[in-house]
Amino acid sequence: MATKEYTSGTFCRDIKCERHKELEGLSGSEYLERKSEHCKECYAWMLFNWLKDRNWKIVLTMNEISAVEMAARIKGIDPIRVKDLTMDEILCL
């Protein structure tokens, strides 16, 4: 799976952050310096920095799925074939 490099302001534009307009024309280190000061109380920015400081990456986001479907996927079973079973029954297979 190819990794996609983070582009400055991606998340801010996705959530339509009103504060991002002041940083829109900046890029590179200038953007990061201004953003660090401007968005220091933004929880999304705090999470991004926390992940970066620990060398963690978000590699894939998924829609939420039920615990039963998750158990089936963990066991490598088609979730439709075991839809009538409980999570415990699926994990025991």
Side-chain angles (χ1 to χ4, degrees), residues 57-68:
K57 294 180 182 178
I58 299 173
V59 293
L60 177 67
T61 59
M62 294 181 64
N63 295 334
E64 288 198 24
I65 59 174
S66 70
V68 172

Side-chain angles (χ1 to χ4, degrees), residues 55-87:
N55 292 322
W56 287 25
K57 294 180 182 178
I58 299 173
V59 293
L60 177 67
T61 59
M62 294 181 64
N63 295 334
E64 288 198 24
I65 59 174
S66 70
V68 172
E69 185 177 344
M70 178 77 75
R73 288 179 184 222
I74 288 170
K75 295 297 281 188
I77 303 169
D78 181 12
I80 295 172
R81 295 182 68 203
V82 292
K83 66 180 177 186
D84 296 330
L85 300 178
T86 68
M87 184 174 62

